[in-house]
Amino acid sequence: MRRSYLGEFEEIVLLTVAVLGEGAYGVAITDELDRQTGRSVSISAVHAALHRLEEKGMLRSHMGEATAERGGRRKRLFTVTVLGSRTLHDIRAVREQLWKAILPHSLPAISL
Amino acid sequence: MKCSDSPSSRPPRWADCLLERFCAPHLLEEIQGDLHERFQRNAALLGERSARWHYVREVLSFMRPFAWKRKKEPYSSPSYLNTDMLRNYVKIAWRNLAQNRSFSAINILGLALGMACSLLIFLWIQDEYSVDAYHANGPRLYVVMERQMYDGKTEASPGTPALLPDELKRRFPEIAYAAGLSWEEKHTFAVGDKLNKEKGRSVGADWLRMFTVPLLAGSAETALNAPNNLVISRTLAENYFGSPQAAIGRSIRLDNQQDYQVTAVFETIPENSSLKYDYLLSWQDFLRRNEWLKEWGNHVPQTYVQLQTERNGQPANADRLEAKLKTFLYEVSPSLKKGTFDIHLFLQPFQEVYLHSNYKNGYPDGGRIEYVRLFGIVAVFILLIACINFMNLATARSVKRAREVGIRKVVGAARGLLFGQFMGEALLLTAIALVLALGVVWLLLPVFNELTEKNITLHPNQGTFWITILIITMLTGLIAGSYPALFLSSLNPIRVLKNSLQLGAGARLFRQGLVVFQFVLSTLLIIGMIVIYRQMQYIQTKNLGFDRENLIYLHAEGGVADRYAAFRQELLKSSGIQSVTYMDGTPTNGFGSTGNVHWPGKDPNTNIQFQFSTVDYDFTKTLKLNVTGRDFSPAYGLDSLGYLINKTAARRIGYTDPIGKPLTLWGQQGTIIGIVDDYHMASMHVAIEPLIVKLNPKVSGKTIIVRTQPGQSQEALASLETLWRTFNPKIPFTYRFADEEFQKLYRREMTVGSLTGYFAILAIFISCLGLFGLAAFMAEQRTKEIGVRKVLGASVVSIMSLLSGNFLKLVIIAIVIASPIAGYAMNQWLQDFTYKISLEWWMFAGAGGLAVFIALVTVSFHSIRAALMNPVKTLRSE
């Protein structure tokens, strides 16, 4: 396999983990996604995506500290691996290349 | 896992429990933590109610594979299907089989016999169900039957007016086709020099369109359109003309009278058809030959209809049609409804008729289906008995395998694995038994076919056969193996390895229960066998009222009928002949019944159906019937107006001294000249009905009855044949013995009787195999005890009774349980007979005695051996 395929949602979750840096865990990621994209995502979908990304080797995780509101349970904190980072860069490169290839005015104009 | 205890402002507990239950343990902490964190925030933002609601939704949303999938154990136990383990299982199983040869043989033999028996029964049942199932229009075919109400009774009868089929088709748009079917006709076929009696039927023109009777030549549309058309089977076509194609258009002379043209040839009727015929004649021809059937009052041939397919592709509704048909007969013939006599038409699906052909009070009530069910149950019983053998021996011998189980458990075998192992062993054994069983079935099939009058073959290329075998094998293996596997896999390894294994009372009780169950089933079958045998013997030896020995039936036809007086005279002069007469039908098969009988003082509202027969002189002499008054005699000029009646008829008519009293039959007034003793005109299933016998000089179509000198039937037959040839050169000589005709009435009961006998023997044999094995094991277990007892002075007899007593107790309990069940079941069976034996205590005692005796013999082989053993040998080693 040349490169693991990333779904759109997975890509966004991966990016969000990168955005959050040290404090990336389930609830924080969900909230951040909510804020950044405006879509309401379910926490289970986020967990599933995180799980898959870790299986694919794009994320690494360790258990963090416990807090009272979590009933004394620890968080699982995620960080992007080298592979994850490369994948994100690859995707971005492809996108930019494509954007550059688009002739001016070939996309219909949109008014913001 | 215990659900977390929660203080106030907590998510719903049940949702938490649910999460803890389904979520994989290694994910639980983070997921639950995240959910709780969100809950706390939601509670602060939206209120507790809303937060709880959200929480539940979120928990439910985690029901997805990633969350419930468990992490793999780092040291997973080898899979059950690991090749090394499999090899080990097979090896151990094989060593166990080889080491305990006798036990393995008992198990395999028992299972094989049980399976062979149930396979045979399965084949038979399958064959029964396949009868008439092959007709493409099957679900739309119905038989039109009559429900006659008279004399306080309701009876169903297949006989209908011969004009009914065409009339029904004309009147009811729901009926697509309708055809009549005659009784079985025998005609002599003559083509050139070839001369043979053939059996066939007359049918309506629609017959070939309704039923799947593939034509090899000719067309179904026109084959039976004209009166002189004849449709023959491939067998006949090949016999007479060489090939089906060569037969078309050729003519065949029937009964040396009339020529018929072959218009079509059909494929010979398959074995699994309830209606068999070698040729078909047209309905027009049938009515021409039987003018009397053109009247609506005579109900003899059968009527079949095929329902129209409606626009939605479904057949027309039979119930609605039946409601419309019900009173149809009075519409066409108002005279049929008279006094208390009432008659309705009803429909029975054609494909059901074969298995459901008994009627009670005018409605279908069982038939062959009862035997199908009965033998189905017997098959299951016998298989169960064989399975129980296996269960018993395996658990009794579990002590021997206990150590193996202990070691396996210690080195890490889970219970499931052990269960699988022992199940596998049971299945292996069943598979070996299956091979044997198939051999047995293959060997026994010809004998079985002869016994059941079937033509069953094994179809190894038929999918259903193998599927059935697979199912039977799996089922047997699972039933036989389940208990031993559960039991063995539950053993506690510490106790086993400490050698302190105590088999609980529960296991022993269970085993004893199984033995009792086996013997209950065996005793049931033995009692059944005895009762059926006694009933058959009763039928065989019951005085029929006439002497059925040394009677020969001939069919009156051709020259014999035309020149009967000469034939009779010649015959009486020949050697070996005692007397001759003729009658309608035969003594054991009533010819017909009529309600058209009157006498002075008859209640106009009663309608008594009288059996009737018209006969020749010497009727009572030839049948050896006891007669009060006198028989017909040429000495009395007016005997054509004299009637003989039987005692039942005399009772129904109600004369105190009937002889010389007037009686009117079919509008002809005459007098009663004699009263014959009641004789059985039908099988013992039905009561003797009132009978009227009348003299009739018309011979053709009747049965000539010849009484031969005892012990001279060979000479008599020889002289009959020579005489027949001189009178009927163009008709082959055929005859029947009265005794054989009588036996035919009970063919089904005979088959059931002998099958029950074989099954009973098989059941008791398999049960005893198991008992034999158990006894061997017990004797082996108690060798030391017996040695000590002998040293202390126990006698051989006391040791024998010690060992046998236990088993005897079980068998006796079984007999006590089986007797009332058998009593009830056999009483039900006997209900079908009007003339029957009563159940007597000795039948049960005999069956019980037999069971006890057989069990005792089986057990004593081992108990004697154990009792005779030298105690020094058994006690020497410790």
Side-chain angles (χ1 to χ4, degrees), chain B residues 542-546 625-626 645-651 675-681 688-691 835:
Chain B
K542 185 175 190 308
N543 185 4
L544 291 182
F546 69 95
L625 284 170
N626 245 342
I645 60 174
N646 68 357
K647 283 191 169 160
T648 308
R651 212 165 35 244
I675 299 178
V676 295
D677 281 0
D678 284 343
Y679 70 89
H680 286 275
M681 290 170 278
I688 294 175
E689 289 183 59
L691 168 79
Y835 302 93

Side-chain angles (χ1 to χ4, degrees), chain A residues 37-79:
Chain A
T37 64
R39 34 168 139 161
S40 149
V41 288
S42 81
I43 181 127
S44 58
V46 171
H47 268 274
L50 288 170
H51 191 76
R52 248 184 344 262
L53 284 168
E54 194 174 8
E55 273 183 353
K56 289 180 182 175
M58 306 210 192
L59 286 178
R60 181 169 52 225
S61 72
H62 64 276
M63 299 308 278
E65 83 282 16
T67 63
E69 75 245 25
R70 297 176 63 87
R73 294 181 185 82
R74 291 173 298 167
K75 304 168 175 173
R76 183 175 289 277
L77 294 167
F78 292 90
T79 41

Side-chain angles (χ1 to χ4, degrees), chain B residues 212-471:
Chain B
T212 302
V213 185
L215 292 187
L216 302 171
S219 100
E221 303 299 316
T222 56
L224 290 164
N225 274 359
N228 276 13
N229 287 2
L230 175 63
V231 179
I232 58 176
S233 70
R234 174 205 278 274
T235 320
L236 290 198
E238 283 169 357
N239 278 357
Y240 288 100
F241 306 106
S243 80
Q245 278 68 31
I248 296 291
R250 302 281 291 274
S251 74
I252 296 179
R253 173 159 283 233
L254 260 64
D255 297 332
N256 204 17
Q257 282 168 347
Q258 188 145 23
D259 287 323
Y260 289 78
Q261 263 67 45
V262 177
T263 49
V265 178
F266 58 85
E267 184 58 77
T268 305
I269 302 294
E271 283 289 335
N272 58 353
S273 172
S274 61
L275 296 168
K276 298 228 169 66
Y277 40 83
D278 282 326
Y279 59 87
L280 294 172
L281 291 165
S282 72
W283 205 241
Q284 287 126 294
D285 178 59
F286 179 64
L287 292 180
R288 187 175 65 189
R289 282 181 284 121
N290 298 282
E291 288 281 343
W292 57 284
L293 284 177
K294 286 186 180 166
E295 283 176 33
W296 281 96
N298 291 324
H299 303 201
V300 189
Q302 298 182 39
T303 300
Y304 291 83
V305 295
Q306 178 178 330
L307 299 189
Q308 196 71 258
T309 310
E310 284 185 341
R311 239 173 269 130
N312 56 10
Q314 294 293 312
N317 188 314
D319 292 335
R320 270 208 297 275
L321 176 63
E322 193 169 21
K324 284 206 256 176
L325 279 180
K326 196 171 168 188
T327 55
F328 180 72
L329 278 180
Y330 327 131
E331 288 169 31
V332 289
S333 169
S335 64
L336 276 174
K337 190 172 179 162
K338 228 183 331 182
T340 55
F341 188 77
D342 203 353
I343 192 165
H344 291 159
L345 289 180
F346 72 97
L347 297 173
Q348 190 178 9
F350 166 66
Q351 292 182 321
E352 264 180 27
V353 172
Y354 176 72
L355 287 176
H356 302 82
S357 59
N358 282 2
Y359 302 90
K360 197 173 176 185
N361 296 327
Y363 289 86
D365 178 53
R368 295 185 75 95
I369 190 76
E370 287 166 11
Y371 289 114
V372 169
R373 291 197 191 116
L374 181 76
F375 284 126
I377 293 171
V378 169
V380 173
F381 276 5
I382 290 186
L383 207 56
L384 262 182
I385 292 179
C387 288
I388 287 176
N389 270 356
F390 183 91
M391 286 156 91
N392 257 342
L393 289 180
T395 37
R397 300 178 49 73
S398 56
V399 188
K400 303 232 161 182
R401 296 295 295 271
R403 197 154 292 171
E404 180 194 336
V405 173
I407 297 286
R408 279 185 192 271
K409 279 201 169 176
V410 166
V411 296
R415 189 165 174 193
L417 285 180
L418 285 167
F419 182 78
Q421 183 197 345
F422 291 114
M423 273 322 257
E425 275 184 31
L427 283 174
L428 179 76
L429 214 73
T430 323
I432 297 174
L434 172 74
V435 176
L436 256 171
L438 281 177
V440 172
V441 169
W442 185 74
L443 278 174
L444 282 185
L445 209 50
V447 185
F448 185 72
N449 274 336
E450 200 170 310
L451 200 67
T452 54
E453 293 172 348
K454 290 231 171 241
N455 199 0
I456 302 169
T457 45
L458 285 178
H459 292 291
N461 49 2
Q462 226 173 43
T464 49
F465 176 73
W466 290 111
I467 290 171
T468 320
I469 283 192
L470 198 73
I471 291 173

Side-chain angles (χ1 to χ4, degrees), chain B residues 698-716:
Chain B
K698 187 176 167 283
V699 192
S700 184
K702 301 230 173 2
T703 310
I704 299 175
I705 303 173
V706 180
R707 177 165 295 282
T708 59
Q709 300 282 6
Q712 293 188 26
S713 51
Q714 287 312 315
E715 292 92 320

Side-chain angles (χ1 to χ4, degrees), chain A residues 25-27 30-31 41-45 47-48 51 63 67-76 78, chain B residues 4 10 16 20 26-38 40-41 58 61-64 66:
Chain A
Y25 72 102
V27 176
T30 315
D31 291 348
V41 288
S42 81
I43 181 127
S44 58
H47 268 274
H51 191 76
M63 299 308 278
T67 63
E69 75 245 25
R70 297 176 63 87
R73 294 181 185 82
R74 291 173 298 167
K75 304 168 175 173
R76 183 175 289 277
F78 292 90
Chain B
S4 41
R10 281 280 166 172
D16 247 2
E20 282 164 21
H26 68 283
L27 294 176
L28 183 65
E29 184 175 3
E30 53 190 284
I31 290 177
Q32 208 172 19
D34 278 9
L35 288 181
H36 277 238
E37 190 180 332
R38 278 168 72 92
Q40 296 299 345
R41 197 181 53 197
E58 279 171 359
S61 78
F62 267 100
M63 289 219 180
R64 37 167 89 199
F66 93 90

Side-chain angles (χ1 to χ4, degrees), chain B residues 365-642:
Chain B
D365 178 53
R368 295 185 75 95
I369 190 76
E370 287 166 11
Y371 289 114
V372 169
R373 291 197 191 116
L374 181 76
F375 284 126
I377 293 171
V378 169
V380 173
F381 276 5
I382 290 186
L383 207 56
L384 262 182
I385 292 179
C387 288
I388 287 176
N389 270 356
F390 183 91
M391 286 156 91
N392 257 342
L393 289 180
T395 37
R397 300 178 49 73
S398 56
V399 188
K400 303 232 161 182
R401 296 295 295 271
R403 197 154 292 171
E404 180 194 336
V405 173
I407 297 286
R408 279 185 192 271
K409 279 201 169 176
V410 166
V411 296
R415 189 165 174 193
L417 285 180
L418 285 167
F419 182 78
Q421 183 197 345
F422 291 114
M423 273 322 257
E425 275 184 31
L427 283 174
L428 179 76
L429 214 73
T430 323
I432 297 174
L434 172 74
V435 176
L436 256 171
L438 281 177
V440 172
V441 169
W442 185 74
L443 278 174
L444 282 185
L445 209 50
V447 185
F448 185 72
N449 274 336
E450 200 170 310
L451 200 67
T452 54
E453 293 172 348
K454 290 231 171 241
N455 199 0
I456 302 169
T457 45
L458 285 178
H459 292 291
N461 49 2
Q462 226 173 43
T464 49
F465 176 73
W466 290 111
I467 290 171
T468 320
I469 283 192
L470 198 73
I471 291 173
I472 291 186
T473 314
M474 294 300 281
L475 220 64
T476 315
L478 289 181
I479 296 173
S482 59
Y483 177 68
L486 276 175
F487 178 78
L488 280 169
S489 63
S490 73
L491 292 177
N492 181 339
I494 296 174
R495 291 241 302 273
V496 168
L497 294 178
K498 260 177 73 189
N499 230 349
S500 64
L501 179 70
Q502 287 285 317
L503 288 182
R508 204 177 63 231
L509 215 68
F510 184 75
R511 229 166 38 228
Q512 290 178 339
L514 289 180
V515 171
V516 169
F517 183 66
Q518 273 185 320
F519 272 83
V520 166
L521 296 184
S522 307
T523 316
L524 274 178
L525 285 170
I526 295 178
I527 296 176
M529 177 179 76
I530 293 178
V531 173
I532 295 177
Y533 176 76
R534 286 292 302 170
Q535 171 68 13
M536 285 298 116
Q537 212 179 29
Y538 168 79
I539 288 171
Q540 296 294 326
T541 53
K542 185 175 190 308
N543 185 4
L544 291 182
F546 69 95
D547 182 4
R548 68 169 193 269
E549 305 291 327
N550 306 312
L551 276 188
I552 294 174
Y553 300 155
L554 305 173
H555 184 62
E557 58 185 328
V560 169
D562 296 341
R563 288 176 286 141
Y564 176 72
F567 175 75
R568 176 186 145 94
Q569 214 165 24
E570 289 292 316
L571 192 59
L572 287 175
K573 278 190 271 177
S574 350
S575 67
I577 310 287
Q578 245 178 22
S579 68
V580 187
T581 186
Y582 58 75
M583 73 183 292
D584 290 313
T586 63
T588 44
N589 256 324
F591 178 67
S593 65
T594 175
N596 195 355
V597 180
H598 299 280
W599 59 91
K602 181 187 177 187
D603 177 2
N605 285 326
T606 58
N607 187 316
I608 303 172
Q609 291 286 311
F610 285 81
Q611 293 285 327
F612 67 87
S613 188
T614 64
V615 304
D616 186 22
Y617 298 114
D618 290 344
F619 173 65
T620 55
K621 181 182 160 200
T622 310
L623 291 185
K624 291 199 176 164
L625 284 170
N626 245 342
V627 62
T628 338
R630 64 172 179 86
D631 192 1
F632 302 109
S633 156
Y636 297 79
L638 279 174
D639 253 2
S640 58
L641 287 178

